[in-house]
Amino acid sequence: MRDVGEPDESELSVTAPKTWATGAPAVVHALQYALGQTSPKRTALTLLNINQTKGFDCPGCAWPEPGPGHRHRNEYCENGAKHIGDEATSRRVTADFFRQYSVDELSRKSDYWLNQQGRLTEPMVLREGATHYEPIGWDEALDLLAGELRALDHPDEALFYTSGRLANEPAFLLQLFVRAFGTNNLPDCSNMCHESSGSALNETLGIGKGSVSLDDLYDCDLVFVVGQNPGTNHPRMLSALEETKRRGGHVVAVNPLPEAGLLRFKHPQKARGIIGRGTDIADQFLQIRPGGDLALFQALNLLLLEAEDKEPGTVLDRDFIEAHSTGYDAFAEHIRATSWDAVLEATGLSRDEIERVHERVLASRSVIVCWAMGLTQHKHGVPTIREVVNFLLLRGNIGRPGAGVCPVRGHSNVQGDRTMGIWERMPQPFLDRLGREFGFTAPARHGLDSVDSVRAMLDGRAKLFVGVAGNFVRASPDSDATERALRNCRLTAHISTKLNRSHAVCGGTALILPTLGRSDRDVQAGGEQFMTVEDSMSEVHATRGRLAPASAHLLSEVSIISRLARKVLGSGPDIPWADFEADYDLVRDRISRVVEGFADFNERVRRPGGFRLPNPVNERVFRTPAGKAVFTVNDFTMLQAPPGHLVLQTLRSHDQWNTIPYAMDDRYRGIKGGRRVVLVNGTDLAELGLDDGSLVDLVSVWTDGSERRADAFRVVAYPTPRGSAAAYYPETNVLVPLDSVADISNTPTSKSVIIRLERAADRAPV
Ligand code: SF4
C-alpha cells in the first residue's frame, strides 16, 4: 500500500475558479480520499463517530458542533472526513521503512509524500552521527530524553512546542511538567496564527477569546466574514451562515480573493443543496487589498460618527459607551481625521461600496465580526483587530445576544490548549493557582514564543526541542533559518502520529515518539479513557477514540508526558504522575481546581455536548485595568509595493490541512496537479510583461535590503486585487524572514510579503 509516488508538478492544469462550495462533489472527494487510505469498514466507523457526542472530535478546525439535539448524523465536512481518513489510514511506517530511507533522503521528500506513508508505529532514535533512525524501547527513549533535559545548564535551554491537536488533559499535564521543570518555554502554533487576536482582545475586552455562540450567529442581523476562507478552512461555518440567512440575517464578506465558499453554499445533506442552486452567502462582497482591513473599519467608524452627528442619539449606543467603555473621546478625535483618499488607496474599494456596508450596519440591530489569518498575519494585525472592536463597541455590539467578536480558530483544540496553560506568558494568577495546587513555585519570567524559539536555537541559547504534535519546521516562517535552528540543537524529539518534515530536520540526536490519534481507543490501567477539547466558541466537550490503535506500541500523549515527567523531576514536587496516567478523571479534578470555569469538570463534561465556558464579556464585565472595554487609537500604514512589485499573501489550498497537502489540487480555485503556483491579476501580469503559465521565481524584498527567493512557480491569471498575488504555504514560508512580524503579537507577517516575479529562465546559473 506504500506505493505513493512524488507528485509531478508538470501535470498542472488550471480551470476557472468555482463560484460555489461543497454540494455533491465535496461528498465524492471526501469519500475518495478516505477510501484511498483505509477499508470501507474503517471509513464507515470513523464517519459514524466523528463529531458525535459519544464519538471523537474532528482533529481539523475548531468550528463548534450544534447542541446534541440539533446535531446531524453526518456532522462533518469534506475536510473533516479527509482529516479523519488521513489519521485512520491503514498505511504504516515501520522500522523497515526507516531502514530503507536515510534521514537525508527523507529530508528531500515532499510534505505530501511524507504524510502519505502512514501512521508511525514504534519509537525511533537517530543516534549521534547515524544516517538512519533505528528502533528504541519506550523506557530507553524516555531515559535518553530525560537525561538530556537534566543535563542542561538551565531549564530555559529547553523548548516545548505544541500544536492545536493536543487535547486538554495532555496539554494541562505538559504545561505542569514544563513549569515544574522550571521554564515557561511553551511556544505553540497559536503564536503563528491568532496571537494578534489574543493580544488585541485581551487589551480591549480583557479576554483573548471570541464572545459569540452558534445561537448568536444564527440570530445575528449582520455577520462580517473578514480575511477568512470558510469554504476550505472551516467548512461547517457555511451551514451556520446559511442558517443566519434563513432567519433573515445578512453577510458581508471581506477578502482579497473571491473564494467559492464566500459566494454560494450547497448544503451536501439537504436536497436543495444537492440539486438546487444552494444559498448565496455574501450579500455584499468587498474584494479588499491585502492589509486594507484596518482602513476599512476606520472608514466605517467615521461614517457611524458622522451619522450620529446628523441624528444625535440614534446611531451610537451612548448608554453602553458611557457605562462600559473608556477611551472614546481620543478614539473619536482620531477617527474624525481619517482621510478618504488614504482609505480608498489602502482598501482598493470604492467609497460607494463602503457606504453601502455602512447602510447595512445602520439597518442591523446586532452585528458579529468573524475573522481569521487575513487579519492577524500583518504587521498591523493587532491594531486592525482593535479597530474591529472599536467598530462593535460604538453600537454596543458586545455583551448582548446576536452580537460580538468571533476569531475563528484553525486547529481543533488550539483555544483549549491556551486555556490549559500552554502559553509562554501565562498570567500570574494562573501560575499561582498551579503552584498552590501542586506545591511548587512556577517560574514567573516569560518564556519564548515560536519566533523567538527559532532565534534561541540559532544562537545556542536553546539546545533541546520537544515538539508535541504539529510540524514546527513547516509551520514556522523563514524555513531556512528554522531548519538551521533545529539542526543546531543537541537533541530534537517529536511526539507525533504521522511522519512529517520535522522528523527529517534533526538535532545531534533525534527521537520520534509515536502516539495515539483522536480516533484511537485509549485504554489505561484505570480502564478506557476519554479526553476533552474546547472549540472556537468556548464549548468544552468529550472526545473518545473508537478505533483499534494503529500499533500496539503507541502510547497516549498523557502516558508519554507523565512517564517523562517522572523520569525528569524524580524527587521534585509531589505530583502523582502514575495516577494521572492511569485515570484521566484525576487530571480533570486538578484542572477544575486550577483553571477558571472548570468547576465540577468531570460531572459537567459527561453531560451530552459538555458545557460552555463563561465569558465575562457576555455579562459586560471587562477584565481590563480600567474595568471597562477600551476604545483604542490605531494608525494604519499602507503597505507600498515599489513599481514592478506585488503584495503576496500566503494561503492554504483546499486539499491541505495546516502544513500537510492531502493532494496537489485546489478544487475551488481551479488548480489541479500542482502547488507551485502564484495567482496574479491578469492586468498586473500584462503590465509586468508576463503571460499566464510563465515559469517565475518569487523574490521577496525587505526594508533592510535583503532578498529571498522561492524558485519555479507557475503564473496563474486569477482575480486577485490589483497589485497583489497569492501562493501556497508552506512552500512560500521561505520568503518571510524571522524578523518580519506583527507589532505586539510577534506573529509572522505571512499575508503581506512584497515580491517581484523573475522569469525562471533569467535566473543566474548557480
Ligand atoms: S468544519 Fe472543521 S471541525 Fe467541522 S468537520 Fe470540518 S474540519 Fe472538522
Side-chain angles (χ1 to χ4, degrees):
M1 212 165 183
R2 163 145 318 113
D3 204 13
V4 181
E6 280 286 14
D8 178 1
E9 293 262 347
S10 69
E11 292 175 3
L12 175 77
S13 64
V14 180
T15 53
K18 301 276 183 289
T19 54
W20 54 270
T22 318
V27 180
V28 172
H29 279 85
L31 287 177
Q32 267 174 353
Y33 189 78
L35 291 170
Q37 296 292 324
T38 189
S39 65
K41 186 175 167 203
R42 207 166 151 90
T43 298
L45 198 58
T46 55
L47 295 182
L48 283 171
N49 278 291
I50 185 171
N51 290 337
Q52 298 302 315
T53 50
K54 293 189 175 160
F56 45 81
D57 186 59
C58 171
C61 76
W63 192 251
E65 287 75 55
H70 306 278
R71 208 167 288 186
H72 200 279
R73 192 71 203 89
N74 299 310
E75 193 63 53
Y76 55 84
C77 68
E78 171 190 352
N79 289 355
K82 286 183 194 161
H83 301 327
I84 208 65
D86 196 68
E87 183 184 286
T89 181
S90 298
R91 298 176 188 167
R92 297 289 179 266
V93 175
T94 61
D96 279 346
F97 171 89
F98 287 108
R99 267 190 285 278
Q100 187 180 350
Y101 295 101
S102 70
V103 171
D104 184 50
E105 285 173 294
L106 293 176
S107 73
R108 284 182 269 115
K109 295 292 188 185
S110 69
D111 299 303
Y112 169 80
W113 187 92
L114 291 167
N115 178 60
Q116 289 297 322
Q117 302 313 303
R119 288 286 298 275
L120 296 160
T121 52
E122 60 181 305
M124 305 297 297
V125 62
L126 179 74
R127 299 194 190 273
E128 185 83 47
T131 55
H132 289 67
Y133 275 102
E134 62 185 81
I136 184 173
W138 273 109
D139 241 13
E140 191 191 343
L142 294 177
D143 277 341
L144 195 164
L145 179 50
E148 290 285 354
L149 281 166
R150 282 198 308 266
L152 294 172
D153 289 336
H154 193 282
D156 284 345
E157 292 179 343
L159 303 164
F160 298 87
Y161 172 77
T162 308
S163 98
R165 182 171 64 74
L166 206 62
N168 288 333
E169 290 75 8
F172 182 78
L173 292 185
L174 177 69
Q175 62 83 34
L176 170 62
F177 158 57
V178 169
R179 292 189 165 111
F181 176 59
T183 181
N184 279 309
N185 282 348
L186 285 157
D188 68 350
C189 60
S190 201
N191 296 147
M192 295 181 273
C193 57
H194 266 297
E195 199 65 60
S196 299
S197 306
S199 299
L201 295 177
N202 267 317
E203 179 185 346
T204 55
L205 301 178
I207 183 168
K209 298 183 180 186
S211 65
V212 306
S213 67
L214 270 184
D215 285 336
D216 288 324
L217 203 64
Y218 297 155
D219 291 332
C220 180
D221 295 329
L222 182 61
V223 180
F224 282 77
V225 181
V226 191
Q228 194 190 348
N229 176 17
T232 286
N233 298 325
H234 326 92
R236 278 184 311 117
M237 183 177 179
L238 298 181
S239 322
L241 292 174
E242 184 179 55
E243 180 63 14
T244 309
K245 301 207 66 175
R246 195 187 67 78
R247 297 190 191 188
H250 294 89
V251 175
V252 169
V254 184
N255 199 56
L257 299 190
E259 306 287 13
L262 293 172
L263 303 178
R264 189 148 47 94
F265 169 55
K266 292 185 161 202
H267 201 309
Q269 288 149 7
K270 296 191 173 160
R272 68 170 185 273
I274 295 293
I275 54 175
R277 187 178 182 281
T279 303
D280 290 326
I281 294 295
D283 295 281
Q284 191 177 345
F285 170 60
L286 302 181
Q287 185 167 25
I288 198 163
R289 287 191 175 134
D293 310 271
L294 173 50
L296 169 65
F297 279 95
Q298 288 196 327
L300 290 172
N301 289 341
L302 175 64
L303 290 169
L304 287 174
L305 294 185
E306 290 175 349
E308 174 76 5
D309 292 343
K310 278 190 203 137
E311 295 184 56
T314 64
V315 175
L316 305 189
D317 187 338
R318 285 279 175 199
D319 291 344
F320 173 85
I321 292 170
E322 271 157 38
H324 298 293
S325 78
T326 180
Y328 172 81
D329 290 342
F331 152 78
E333 186 185 337
H334 180 257
I335 284 294
R336 287 183 191 285
T338 300
S339 148
W340 272 103
D341 286 346
V343 166
L344 301 186
E345 189 186 359
T347 61
L349 303 171
S350 69
R351 183 162 175 162
D352 177 60
E353 284 178 288
I354 298 173
E355 286 179 342
R356 278 197 290 134
V357 176
H358 168 67
E359 292 302 321
R360 292 181 188 280
V361 175
L362 288 183
S364 304
R365 165 85 185 106
S366 55
V367 176
I368 288 173
V369 182
C370 307
W371 70 88
M373 307 304 82
L375 291 203
T376 63
Q377 291 182 327
H378 293 282
K379 184 161 172 48
H380 54 281
V382 175
T384 300
I385 296 159
R386 288 196 303 225
E387 199 64 37
V388 168
V389 173
N390 288 340
F391 168 71
L392 292 169
L393 293 178
L394 279 177
R395 283 169 60 85
N397 275 306
I398 292 285
R400 61 177 165 78
V405 287
C406 183
V408 184
R409 311 275 171 172
H411 204 331
S412 55
N413 197 42
V414 67
Q415 184 162 316
D417 289 345
R418 275 291 164 94
T419 305
M420 291 296 120
I422 300 286
W423 192 19
E424 73 281 356
R425 291 178 286 135
M426 213 57 195
Q428 193 60 42
F430 176 95
L431 299 179
D432 291 342
R433 287 195 300 276
L434 186 74
R436 268 198 306 277
E437 179 65 24
F438 292 99
F440 72 102
T441 303
R445 65 190 173 281
H446 288 173
L448 300 173
D449 66 8
S450 293
V451 165
D452 286 339
S453 290
V454 175
R455 291 196 180 104
M457 287 185 276
L458 280 172
D459 66 22
R461 278 176 294 136
K463 299 181 168 61
L464 197 149
F465 178 93
V466 180
V468 187
N471 182 8
F472 183 76
V473 162
R474 295 302 268 160
S476 299
D478 207 334
S479 310
D480 294 343
T482 300
E483 296 204 359
R484 273 187 284 117
L486 269 287
R487 290 194 164 104
N488 207 28
C489 285
R490 186 188 296 169
L491 181 143
T492 49
H494 295 277
I495 299 175
S496 308
T497 54
K498 297 191 79 179
L499 196 62
N500 63 46
R501 185 165 174 80
S502 294
H503 303 119
V505 179
C506 306
T509 301
L511 285 165
I512 297 176
L513 306 174
T515 189
L516 298 175
R518 279 279 167 83
S519 52
D520 293 332
R521 196 177 302 123
D522 184 355
V523 180
Q524 302 293 343
E528 190 161 331
Q529 306 295 316
F530 70 89
M531 294 192 287
T532 61
V533 290
E534 175 189 342
D535 63 34
S536 254
M537 294 184 177
S538 303
E539 303 276 356
V540 178
H541 61 85
T543 173
R544 291 177 181 79
R546 292 296 188 202
L547 303 182
S551 153
H553 303 296
L554 303 185
L555 290 183
S556 73
E557 286 142 339
V558 167
S559 296
I560 298 170
I561 294 163
S562 298
R563 293 183 191 189
L564 178 65
R566 282 161 72 190
K567 288 177 187 290
V568 173
L569 301 177
S571 60
D574 186 18
I575 299 172
W577 296 105
D579 297 343
F580 288 159
E581 181 182 353
D583 183 354
Y584 300 177
D585 273 359
L586 301 179
V587 184
R588 283 185 283 274
D589 283 342
R590 300 303 190 104
I591 291 172
S592 70
R593 297 212 284 268
V594 173
V595 186
E596 277 190 296
F598 282 82
D600 302 322
F601 189 11
N602 271 308
E603 186 268 316
R604 287 196 295 157
V605 85
R606 283 177 161 81
R607 297 176 196 158
F611 61 95
R612 185 159 191 236
L613 289 172
N615 185 326
V617 163
N618 288 329
E619 309 303 320
R620 295 192 162 172
V621 172
F622 301 100
R623 293 181 177 172
T624 59
K628 294 186 171 190
V630 180
F631 278 98
T632 51
V633 170
N634 305 297
D635 289 312
F636 69 83
T637 41
M638 167 84 185
L639 191 62
Q640 292 284 6
H645 290 69
L646 304 167
V647 177
L648 174 83
Q649 63 162 334
T650 71
L651 38 69
R652 293 188 207 179
S653 77
H654 187 62
D655 272 302
Q656 175 177 353
W657 183 45
N658 294 337
T659 57
I660 305 296
Y662 291 155
M664 304 306 283
D665 307 334
D666 190 359
R667 195 169 82 249
Y668 293 154
R669 298 193 187 108
I671 311 290
K672 190 165 174 47
R675 289 180 53 82
R676 294 189 84 80
V677 294
V678 57
L679 313 180
V680 186
N681 185 289
T683 309
D684 285 330
L685 277 185
E687 284 184 3
L688 293 169
L690 291 167
D691 298 321
D692 189 10
S694 305
L695 194 63
V696 297
D697 296 340
L698 312 186
V699 181
S700 67
V701 296
W702 300 93
T703 44
D704 63 359
S706 65
E707 295 191 347
R708 280 142 194 280
R709 182 178 293 268
D711 288 346
F713 282 69
R714 182 92 37 196
V715 170
V716 174
Y718 202 85
T720 56
R722 289 293 314 278
S724 72
Y728 303 128
Y729 95 99
E731 288 85 345
T732 46
N733 284 357
V734 67
L735 297 172
V736 186
L738 215 51
D739 291 336
S740 181
V741 290
D743 295 337
I744 303 168
S745 66
N746 220 24
T747 295
T749 58
S750 305
K751 293 280 191 279
S752 43
V753 183
I754 294 179
I755 59 163
R756 65 172 185 272
L757 308 181
E758 286 189 358
R759 287 179 199 282
D762 299 339
R763 188 189 308 149
V766 180

